[in-house]
Amino acid sequence: MKTIVYADTLFLVNFLINMILLKITCMFSACRSSWQKLTIASAIGGVYAVCMFFPNIKMLYIFPFKFAISLIMVIIVGQNSDVIKVVKRCAVFYLVSFTFAGVMLALIYFTNFTSSAKPVLSNGIFYFDISLTTLTIASVIAYVLLKLASAVFSRNRVMGFKKLTIYLGERVCEMIALSDTGNLLTDPISNYPVIIADKASLMPLFPSGVPDAEKGSYNGAKLRIIPYSSVGAKNSIMTGFLPDKIVVDGKSKNNVVIGISENTLSATNEYGALLNPNILN
């Protein structure tokens, strides 16, 4: 028995799916888009899905045309036409789409959510007679999976050893820093994240001696008093200073405080500073 495909249902289902996929794409690519743009882009995808069920329009079946349609959709929802940002947004759109498709197939295979659905595949376009409930469930699951994957990727990206360069006036200091969640210290006055560096590693910045706020030694630096607690040192204070800028793995950062540790941070001298991972985020 052949499944009857209704053009209006096909358009509506694909319109809603495109709307969801594009919205999630915007969320993950930090792109703000109006509902008007989302509606136009989703409608283009919906019309294209309907056209794909016409057997005589062979030009629509080839990959370049399929890719062109998806590219047009992500360009419409975007804020600008910067090539690199468009390519990244398009990659995110495909990642979201593949995740959503996988979740939908899993729902069909493992549950009875779509037991009444008779999927039809024509030229790469699926037709599902699915309910709004199923569509919502698939969207939520896909979003959660992508969010978890993004969190894991982001954590792995910011953790580990980084090359740190500190600039203060005409002096420059380079060292290896360990980015770790063990250091989430912030300056109480400016709320800037704090990088903890051991005294010996900072000597190139202060040839006449590392500053000490308690002793009134400034040496030309803008100092901060940073309260902190650690194992064996509860309710302690640390001298900090404001650098002109820092560079982490080639990327310049501002609004950071350098905390001065009297003790060596690494017993094996692998690193000379503890980087607050919030700086990289």
Side-chain angles (χ1 to χ4, degrees):
M1 181 179 179
K2 293 184 178 180
T3 300
I4 300 176
V5 178
Y6 295 96
D8 55 348
T9 304
L10 176 64
F11 171 80
L12 182 60
V13 169
N14 279 275
F15 173 82
L16 292 175
I17 291 175
N18 288 329
M19 178 74 76
I20 293 168
L21 297 180
L22 289 170
K23 184 62 179 177
I24 296 177
T25 298
C26 290
M27 293 171 68
F28 278 101
S29 57
C31 169
R32 294 183 179 181
S33 183
S34 65
W35 286 107
Q36 290 86 347
K37 290 182 177 180
L38 287 170
T39 300
I40 293 172
S42 301
I44 290 174
V47 171
Y48 179 65
V50 173
C51 292
M52 290 287 283
F53 271 79
F54 288 93
N56 295 325
I57 314 179
K58 295 183 179 180
M59 185 183 69
L60 299 179
Y61 307 163
I62 60 177
F63 169 77
F65 203 94
K66 293 179 179 179
F67 180 76
I69 292 296
S70 59
L71 191 61
I72 291 172
M73 291 168 64
V74 298
I75 289 175
I76 290 174
V77 299
Q79 295 172 296
N80 53 61
S81 57
D82 182 85
V83 175
I84 295 177
K85 291 184 178 180
V86 169
V87 171
K88 288 182 178 179
R89 194 158 59 242
C90 194
V92 173
F93 176 71
Y94 275 108
L95 176 62
V96 173
S97 300
F98 294 153
T99 303
F100 181 88
V103 171
M104 185 64 72
L105 290 175
L107 286 175
I108 295 173
Y109 185 78
F110 290 108
T111 73
N112 60 354
F113 282 126
T114 55
S115 57
S116 60
K118 296 179 180 179
V120 177
L121 176 63
S122 177
N123 301 312
I125 297 294
F126 272 105
Y127 172 82
F128 288 105
D129 186 14
I130 56 177
S131 66
L132 185 60
T133 301
T134 303
L135 191 61
T136 303
I137 292 173
S139 303
V140 171
I141 294 175
Y143 175 78
V144 171
L145 289 175
L146 289 167
K147 196 71 175 176
L148 289 173
S150 176
V152 172
F153 174 77
S154 178
R155 187 183 189 282
N156 291 337
R157 179 176 58 84
V158 301
M159 296 298 111
F161 294 108
K162 310 291 180 181
K163 182 181 179 181
L164 172 65
T165 306
I166 304 172
Y167 294 84
L168 184 64
E170 297 180 355
R171 298 189 178 95
V172 180
C173 177
E174 292 184 349
M175 68 188 76
I176 298 298
L178 175 64
S179 178
D180 189 77
T181 52
N183 173 26
L184 296 176
L185 194 62
T186 57
D187 173 35
I189 297 177
S190 62
N191 204 36
Y192 293 164
V194 175
I195 297 174
I196 303 174
D198 59 43
K199 192 174 182 179
S201 299
L202 294 171
M203 288 304 295
L205 295 178
F206 306 103
S208 59
V210 176
D212 189 326
E214 291 185 278
K215 296 179 181 179
S217 172
Y218 293 88
N219 291 336
K222 299 177 182 179
L223 300 189
R224 292 285 190 270
I225 299 296
I226 307 168
Y228 73 97
S229 295
S230 63
V231 178
K234 293 185 177 181
N235 301 321
S236 299
I237 59 172
M238 175 189 300
T239 299
F241 68 93
L242 288 170
D244 293 330
K245 72 171 182 177
I246 68 166
V247 176
V248 182
D249 280 351
K251 296 183 179 180
S252 180
K253 305 286 183 178
N254 295 311
N255 301 333
V256 174
V257 174
I258 307 296
I260 303 172
S261 172
E262 295 291 331
N263 303 315
T264 302
L265 298 173
S266 172
T268 58
N269 294 321
E270 288 184 285
Y271 54 90
L274 285 175
L275 197 67
N276 188 325
N278 290 328
I279 294 172
L280 303 178
N281 289 328

PDB file of all heavy atoms in Angstrom, residues 24-54:
ATOM      1  N   ILE A  24      18.312  26.486  16.892  1.00  0.00           N
ATOM      2  CA  ILE A  24      19.386  25.845  17.659  1.00  0.00           C
ATOM      3  C   ILE A  24      20.747  26.227  17.073  1.00  0.00           C
ATOM      4  O   ILE A  24      21.709  26.469  17.816  1.00  0.00           O
ATOM      5  CB  ILE A  24      19.206  24.319  17.670  1.00  0.00           C
ATOM      6  CG1 ILE A  24      17.911  23.934  18.399  1.00  0.00           C
ATOM      7  CG2 ILE A  24      20.396  23.643  18.353  1.00  0.00           C
ATOM      8  CD1 ILE A  24      17.618  22.445  18.396  1.00  0.00           C
ATOM      9  N   THR A  25      20.835  26.301  15.747  1.00  0.00           N
ATOM     10  CA  THR A  25      22.080  26.714  15.096  1.00  0.00           C
ATOM     11  C   THR A  25      22.492  28.106  15.546  1.00  0.00           C
ATOM     12  O   THR A  25      23.664  28.353  15.848  1.00  0.00           O
ATOM     13  CB  THR A  25      21.917  26.696  13.565  1.00  0.00           C
ATOM     14  OG1 THR A  25      21.631  25.373  13.131  1.00  0.00           O
ATOM     15  CG2 THR A  25      23.177  27.188  12.880  1.00  0.00           C
ATOM     16  N   CYS A  26      21.541  29.018  15.598  1.00  0.00           N
ATOM     17  CA  CYS A  26      21.829  30.380  16.055  1.00  0.00           C
ATOM     18  C   CYS A  26      22.294  30.391  17.507  1.00  0.00           C
ATOM     19  O   CYS A  26      23.191  31.152  17.877  1.00  0.00           O
ATOM     20  CB  CYS A  26      20.588  31.260  15.892  1.00  0.00           C
ATOM     21  SG  CYS A  26      20.169  31.635  14.178  1.00  0.00           S
ATOM     22  N   MET A  27      21.705  29.547  18.327  1.00  0.00           N
ATOM     23  CA  MET A  27      22.075  29.492  19.738  1.00  0.00           C
ATOM     24  C   MET A  27      23.510  29.004  19.903  1.00  0.00           C
ATOM     25  O   MET A  27      24.270  29.539  20.724  1.00  0.00           O
ATOM     26  CB  MET A  27      21.112  28.582  20.492  1.00  0.00           C
ATOM     27  CG  MET A  27      19.689  29.121  20.568  1.00  0.00           C
ATOM     28  SD  MET A  27      18.508  27.927  21.246  1.00  0.00           S
ATOM     29  CE  MET A  27      19.069  27.818  22.938  1.00  0.00           C
ATOM     30  N   PHE A  28      23.907  28.007  19.131  1.00  0.00           N
ATOM     31  CA  PHE A  28      25.247  27.431  19.272  1.00  0.00           C
ATOM     32  C   PHE A  28      26.319  28.247  18.545  1.00  0.00           C
ATOM     33  O   PHE A  28      27.500  28.127  18.858  1.00  0.00           O
ATOM     34  CB  PHE A  28      25.262  25.989  18.758  1.00  0.00           C
ATOM     35  CG  PHE A  28      24.754  24.993  19.757  1.00  0.00           C
ATOM     36  CD1 PHE A  28      23.474  24.507  19.661  1.00  0.00           C
ATOM     37  CD2 PHE A  28      25.550  24.565  20.809  1.00  0.00           C
ATOM     38  CE1 PHE A  28      22.983  23.594  20.586  1.00  0.00           C
ATOM     39  CE2 PHE A  28      25.070  23.657  21.740  1.00  0.00           C
ATOM     40  CZ  PHE A  28      23.793  23.162  21.630  1.00  0.00           C
ATOM     41  N   SER A  29      25.931  29.062  17.579  1.00  0.00           N
ATOM     42  CA  SER A  29      26.912  29.869  16.852  1.00  0.00           C
ATOM     43  C   SER A  29      26.886  31.333  17.289  1.00  0.00           C
ATOM     44  O   SER A  29      27.466  32.192  16.628  1.00  0.00           O
ATOM     45  CB  SER A  29      26.663  29.777  15.348  1.00  0.00           C
ATOM     46  OG  SER A  29      25.345  30.176  15.029  1.00  0.00           O
ATOM     47  N   ALA A  30      26.202  31.600  18.415  1.00  0.00           N
ATOM     48  CA  ALA A  30      26.139  32.956  18.978  1.00  0.00           C
ATOM     49  C   ALA A  30      25.672  33.979  17.946  1.00  0.00           C
ATOM     50  O   ALA A  30      26.233  35.056  17.787  1.00  0.00           O
ATOM     51  CB  ALA A  30      27.496  33.358  19.552  1.00  0.00           C
ATOM     52  N   CYS A  31      24.623  33.613  17.234  1.00  0.00           N
ATOM     53  CA  CYS A  31      24.093  34.476  16.181  1.00  0.00           C
ATOM     54  C   CYS A  31      22.660  34.878  16.542  1.00  0.00           C
ATOM     55  O   CYS A  31      21.800  34.011  16.745  1.00  0.00           O
ATOM     56  CB  CYS A  31      24.122  33.740  14.838  1.00  0.00           C
ATOM     57  SG  CYS A  31      23.214  34.561  13.527  1.00  0.00           S
ATOM     58  N   ARG A  32      22.438  36.171  16.644  1.00  0.00           N
ATOM     59  CA  ARG A  32      21.087  36.661  16.922  1.00  0.00           C
ATOM     60  C   ARG A  32      20.333  36.845  15.608  1.00  0.00           C
ATOM     61  O   ARG A  32      20.829  37.484  14.689  1.00  0.00           O
ATOM     62  CB  ARG A  32      21.147  37.982  17.679  1.00  0.00           C
ATOM     63  CG  ARG A  32      21.730  37.867  19.082  1.00  0.00           C
ATOM     64  CD  ARG A  32      21.693  39.204  19.788  1.00  0.00           C
ATOM     65  NE  ARG A  32      22.227  39.120  21.128  1.00  0.00           N
ATOM     66  CZ  ARG A  32      22.300  40.145  21.969  1.00  0.00           C
ATOM     67  NH1 ARG A  32      21.866  41.340  21.587  1.00  0.00           N
ATOM     68  NH2 ARG A  32      22.804  39.987  23.173  1.00  0.00           N
ATOM     69  N   SER A  33      19.140  36.291  15.569  1.00  0.00           N
ATOM     70  CA  SER A  33      18.342  36.391  14.350  1.00  0.00           C
ATOM     71  C   SER A  33      16.896  36.669  14.711  1.00  0.00           C
ATOM     72  O   SER A  33      16.390  36.167  15.721  1.00  0.00           O
ATOM     73  CB  SER A  33      18.446  35.093  13.541  1.00  0.00           C
ATOM     74  OG  SER A  33      17.747  35.201  12.323  1.00  0.00           O
ATOM     75  N   SER A  34      16.244  37.467  13.899  1.00  0.00           N
ATOM     76  CA  SER A  34      14.842  37.792  14.141  1.00  0.00           C
ATOM     77  C   SER A  34      13.948  36.637  13.697  1.00  0.00           C
ATOM     78  O   SER A  34      14.343  35.796  12.887  1.00  0.00           O
ATOM     79  CB  SER A  34      14.455  39.062  13.380  1.00  0.00           C
ATOM     80  OG  SER A  34      14.544  38.849  11.981  1.00  0.00           O
ATOM     81  N   TRP A  35      12.742  36.603  14.244  1.00  0.00           N
ATOM     82  CA  TRP A  35      11.787  35.565  13.866  1.00  0.00           C
ATOM     83  C   TRP A  35      11.374  35.708  12.405  1.00  0.00           C
ATOM     84  O   TRP A  35      11.029  34.738  11.742  1.00  0.00           O
ATOM     85  CB  TRP A  35      10.563  35.616  14.769  1.00  0.00           C
ATOM     86  CG  TRP A  35      10.833  35.083  16.139  1.00  0.00           C
ATOM     87  CD1 TRP A  35      10.956  35.790  17.296  1.00  0.00           C
ATOM     88  CD2 TRP A  35      11.046  33.703  16.491  1.00  0.00           C
ATOM     89  NE1 TRP A  35      11.237  34.944  18.350  1.00  0.00           N
ATOM     90  CE2 TRP A  35      11.287  33.669  17.889  1.00  0.00           C
ATOM     91  CE3 TRP A  35      11.058  32.512  15.767  1.00  0.00           C
ATOM     92  CZ2 TRP A  35      11.539  32.481  18.563  1.00  0.00           C
ATOM     93  CZ3 TRP A  35      11.305  31.329  16.434  1.00  0.00           C
ATOM     94  CH2 TRP A  35      11.532  31.317  17.814  1.00  0.00           C
ATOM     95  N   GLN A  36      11.429  36.945  11.895  1.00  0.00           N
ATOM     96  CA  GLN A  36      11.094  37.150  10.479  1.00  0.00           C
ATOM     97  C   GLN A  36      12.103  36.432   9.577  1.00  0.00           C
ATOM     98  O   GLN A  36      11.727  35.765   8.603  1.00  0.00           O
ATOM     99  CB  GLN A  36      11.077  38.650  10.151  1.00  0.00           C
ATOM    100  CG  GLN A  36       9.922  39.417  10.780  1.00  0.00           C
ATOM    101  CD  GLN A  36      10.219  39.879  12.192  1.00  0.00           C
ATOM    102  OE1 GLN A  36      11.188  39.425  12.801  1.00  0.00           O
ATOM    103  NE2 GLN A  36       9.398  40.770  12.712  1.00  0.00           N
ATOM    104  N   LYS A  37      13.399  36.564   9.894  1.00  0.00           N
ATOM    105  CA  LYS A  37      14.429  35.903   9.103  1.00  0.00           C
ATOM    106  C   LYS A  37      14.327  34.383   9.238  1.00  0.00           C
ATOM    107  O   LYS A  37      14.488  33.654   8.252  1.00  0.00           O
ATOM    108  CB  LYS A  37      15.814  36.382   9.546  1.00  0.00           C
ATOM    109  CG  LYS A  37      16.131  37.822   9.181  1.00  0.00           C
ATOM    110  CD  LYS A  37      17.539  38.182   9.613  1.00  0.00           C
ATOM    111  CE  LYS A  37      17.890  39.602   9.193  1.00  0.00           C
ATOM    112  NZ  LYS A  37      19.274  39.975   9.619  1.00  0.00           N
ATOM    113  N   LEU A  38      14.071  33.916  10.465  1.00  0.00           N
ATOM    114  CA  LEU A  38      13.916  32.476  10.682  1.00  0.00           C
ATOM    115  C   LEU A  38      12.733  31.934   9.891  1.00  0.00           C
ATOM    116  O   LEU A  38      12.792  30.837   9.323  1.00  0.00           O
ATOM    117  CB  LEU A  38      13.735  32.187  12.174  1.00  0.00           C
ATOM    118  CG  LEU A  38      14.977  32.341  13.055  1.00  0.00           C
ATOM    119  CD1 LEU A  38      14.595  32.272  14.530  1.00  0.00           C
ATOM    120  CD2 LEU A  38      16.002  31.254  12.739  1.00  0.00           C
ATOM    121  N   THR A  39      11.657  32.706   9.843  1.00  0.00           N
ATOM    122  CA  THR A  39      10.458  32.279   9.112  1.00  0.00           C
ATOM    123  C   THR A  39      10.732  32.191   7.616  1.00  0.00           C
ATOM    124  O   THR A  39      10.346  31.224   6.952  1.00  0.00           O
ATOM    125  CB  THR A  39       9.301  33.260   9.379  1.00  0.00           C
ATOM    126  OG1 THR A  39       9.019  33.296  10.784  1.00  0.00           O
ATOM    127  CG2 THR A  39       8.048  32.827   8.624  1.00  0.00           C
ATOM    128  N   ILE A  40      11.412  33.207   7.073  1.00  0.00           N
ATOM    129  CA  ILE A  40      11.714  33.207   5.628  1.00  0.00           C
ATOM    130  C   ILE A  40      12.622  32.033   5.265  1.00  0.00           C
ATOM    131  O   ILE A  40      12.370  31.306   4.296  1.00  0.00           O
ATOM    132  CB  ILE A  40      12.380  34.538   5.233  1.00  0.00           C
ATOM    133  CG1 ILE A  40      11.393  35.692   5.384  1.00  0.00           C
ATOM    134  CG2 ILE A  40      12.895  34.472   3.792  1.00  0.00           C
ATOM    135  CD1 ILE A  40      12.013  37.062   5.211  1.00  0.00           C
ATOM    136  N   ALA A  41      13.691  31.837   6.063  1.00  0.00           N
ATOM    137  CA  ALA A  41      14.631  30.753   5.770  1.00  0.00           C
ATOM    138  C   ALA A  41      13.958  29.394   5.897  1.00  0.00           C
ATOM    139  O   ALA A  41      14.176  28.495   5.077  1.00  0.00           O
ATOM    140  CB  ALA A  41      15.825  30.833   6.724  1.00  0.00           C
ATOM    141  N   SER A  42      13.110  29.238   6.920  1.00  0.00           N
ATOM    142  CA  SER A  42      12.407  27.967   7.122  1.00  0.00           C
ATOM    143  C   SER A  42      11.416  27.701   6.005  1.00  0.00           C
ATOM    144  O   SER A  42      11.242  26.559   5.571  1.00  0.00           O
ATOM    145  CB  SER A  42      11.681  27.986   8.470  1.00  0.00           C
ATOM    146  OG  SER A  42      12.587  28.182   9.541  1.00  0.00           O
ATOM    147  N   ALA A  43      10.770  28.747   5.530  1.00  0.00           N
ATOM    148  CA  ALA A  43       9.814  28.602   4.427  1.00  0.00           C
ATOM    149  C   ALA A  43      10.526  28.170   3.141  1.00  0.00           C
ATOM    150  O   ALA A  43      10.011  27.337   2.381  1.00  0.00           O
ATOM    151  CB  ALA A  43       9.073  29.916   4.205  1.00  0.00           C
ATOM    152  N   ILE A  44      11.710  28.713   2.897  1.00  0.00           N
ATOM    153  CA  ILE A  44      12.488  28.302   1.718  1.00  0.00           C
ATOM    154  C   ILE A  44      12.817  26.812   1.805  1.00  0.00           C
ATOM    155  O   ILE A  44      12.684  26.070   0.818  1.00  0.00           O
ATOM    156  CB  ILE A  44      13.785  29.138   1.627  1.00  0.00           C
ATOM    157  CG1 ILE A  44      13.448  30.585   1.264  1.00  0.00           C
ATOM    158  CG2 ILE A  44      14.738  28.536   0.582  1.00  0.00           C
ATOM    159  CD1 ILE A  44      14.644  31.510   1.282  1.00  0.00           C
ATOM    160  N   GLY A  45      13.234  26.358   2.990  1.00  0.00           N
ATOM    161  CA  GLY A  45      13.516  24.932   3.170  1.00  0.00           C
ATOM    162  C   GLY A  45      12.279  24.076   3.003  1.00  0.00           C
ATOM    163  O   GLY A  45      12.340  22.971   2.448  1.00  0.00           O
ATOM    164  N   GLY A  46      11.130  24.582   3.461  1.00  0.00           N
ATOM    165  CA  GLY A  46       9.881  23.842   3.326  1.00  0.00           C
ATOM    166  C   GLY A  46       9.449  23.712   1.882  1.00  0.00           C
ATOM    167  O   GLY A  46       9.021  22.634   1.435  1.00  0.00           O
ATOM    168  N   VAL A  47       9.562  24.794   1.118  1.00  0.00           N
ATOM    169  CA  VAL A  47       9.210  24.761  -0.308  1.00  0.00           C
ATOM    170  C   VAL A  47      10.142  23.816  -1.058  1.00  0.00           C
ATOM    171  O   VAL A  47       9.709  23.048  -1.933  1.00  0.00           O
ATOM    172  CB  VAL A  47       9.280  26.186  -0.904  1.00  0.00           C
ATOM    173  CG1 VAL A  47       9.143  26.133  -2.428  1.00  0.00           C
ATOM    174  CG2 VAL A  47       8.196  27.070  -0.304  1.00  0.00           C
ATOM    175  N   TYR A  48      11.419  23.853  -0.720  1.00  0.00           N
ATOM    176  CA  TYR A  48      12.386  22.973  -1.372  1.00  0.00           C
ATOM    177  C   TYR A  48      12.063  21.505  -1.114  1.00  0.00           C
ATOM    178  O   TYR A  48      12.167  20.662  -2.014  1.00  0.00           O
ATOM    179  CB  TYR A  48      13.792  23.296  -0.866  1.00  0.00           C
ATOM    180  CG  TYR A  48      14.869  22.415  -1.461  1.00  0.00           C
ATOM    181  CD1 TYR A  48      15.155  22.448  -2.821  1.00  0.00           C
ATOM    182  CD2 TYR A  48      15.600  21.552  -0.658  1.00  0.00           C
ATOM    183  CE1 TYR A  48      16.139  21.656  -3.368  1.00  0.00           C
ATOM    184  CE2 TYR A  48      16.589  20.743  -1.195  1.00  0.00           C
ATOM    185  CZ  TYR A  48      16.859  20.802  -2.541  1.00  0.00           C
ATOM    186  OH  TYR A  48      17.835  20.001  -3.083  1.00  0.00           O
ATOM    187  N   ALA A  49      11.631  21.189   0.123  1.00  0.00           N
ATOM    188  CA  ALA A  49      11.264  19.809   0.451  1.00  0.00           C
ATOM    189  C   ALA A  49      10.079  19.342  -0.381  1.00  0.00           C
ATOM    190  O   ALA A  49      10.040  18.197  -0.843  1.00  0.00           O
ATOM    191  CB  ALA A  49      10.938  19.711   1.944  1.00  0.00           C
ATOM    192  N   VAL A  50       9.112  20.221  -0.590  1.00  0.00           N
ATOM    193  CA  VAL A  50       7.949  19.869  -1.412  1.00  0.00           C
ATOM    194  C   VAL A  50       8.383  19.644  -2.865  1.00  0.00           C
ATOM    195  O   VAL A  50       7.957  18.677  -3.512  1.00  0.00           O
ATOM    196  CB  VAL A  50       6.883  20.981  -1.338  1.00  0.00           C
ATOM    197  CG1 VAL A  50       5.746  20.694  -2.333  1.00  0.00           C
ATOM    198  CG2 VAL A  50       6.323  21.081   0.079  1.00  0.00           C
ATOM    199  N   CYS A  51       9.250  20.510  -3.376  1.00  0.00           N
ATOM    200  CA  CYS A  51       9.709  20.385  -4.772  1.00  0.00           C
ATOM    201  C   CYS A  51      10.474  19.090  -5.001  1.00  0.00           C
ATOM    202  O   CYS A  51      10.454  18.526  -6.099  1.00  0.00           O
ATOM    203  CB  CYS A  51      10.589  21.576  -5.139  1.00  0.00           C
ATOM    204  SG  CYS A  51       9.712  23.151  -5.226  1.00  0.00           S
ATOM    205  N   MET A  52      11.146  18.599  -3.959  1.00  0.00           N
ATOM    206  CA  MET A  52      11.938  17.385  -4.097  1.00  0.00           C
ATOM    207  C   MET A  52      11.088  16.158  -4.367  1.00  0.00           C
ATOM    208  O   MET A  52      11.583  15.123  -4.805  1.00  0.00           O
ATOM    209  CB  MET A  52      12.781  17.158  -2.838  1.00  0.00           C
ATOM    210  CG  MET A  52      13.916  18.147  -2.668  1.00  0.00           C
ATOM    211  SD  MET A  52      15.265  17.852  -3.813  1.00  0.00           S
ATOM    212  CE  MET A  52      16.044  16.451  -3.040  1.00  0.00           C
ATOM    213  N   PHE A  53       9.791  16.240  -4.103  1.00  0.00           N
ATOM    214  CA  PHE A  53       8.902  15.103  -4.348  1.00  0.00           C
ATOM    215  C   PHE A  53       8.330  15.116  -5.762  1.00  0.00           C
ATOM    216  O   PHE A  53       7.565  14.238  -6.130  1.00  0.00           O
ATOM    217  CB  PHE A  53       7.769  15.092  -3.316  1.00  0.00           C
ATOM    218  CG  PHE A  53       8.115  14.319  -2.073  1.00  0.00           C
ATOM    219  CD1 PHE A  53       8.917  14.884  -1.095  1.00  0.00           C
ATOM    220  CD2 PHE A  53       7.678  13.017  -1.890  1.00  0.00           C
ATOM    221  CE1 PHE A  53       9.248  14.180   0.045  1.00  0.00           C
ATOM    222  CE2 PHE A  53       8.012  12.303  -0.755  1.00  0.00           C
ATOM    223  CZ  PHE A  53       8.799  12.881   0.218  1.00  0.00           C
ATOM    224  N   PHE A  54       8.694  16.116  -6.549  1.00  0.00           N
ATOM    225  CA  PHE A  54       8.306  16.127  -7.951  1.00  0.00           C
ATOM    226  C   PHE A  54       9.395  15.428  -8.760  1.00  0.00           C
ATOM    227  O   PHE A  54      10.543  15.870  -8.777  1.00  0.00           O
ATOM    228  CB  PHE A  54       8.111  17.560  -8.449  1.00  0.00           C
ATOM    229  CG  PHE A  54       6.884  18.214  -7.905  1.00  0.00           C
ATOM    230  CD1 PHE A  54       6.940  18.981  -6.752  1.00  0.00           C
ATOM    231  CD2 PHE A  54       5.658  18.051  -8.541  1.00  0.00           C
ATOM    232  CE1 PHE A  54       5.796  19.579  -6.245  1.00  0.00           C
ATOM    233  CE2 PHE A  54       4.509  18.648  -8.039  1.00  0.00           C
ATOM    234  CZ  PHE A  54       4.582  19.406  -6.886  1.00  0.00           C
TER     235      PHE A  54
END
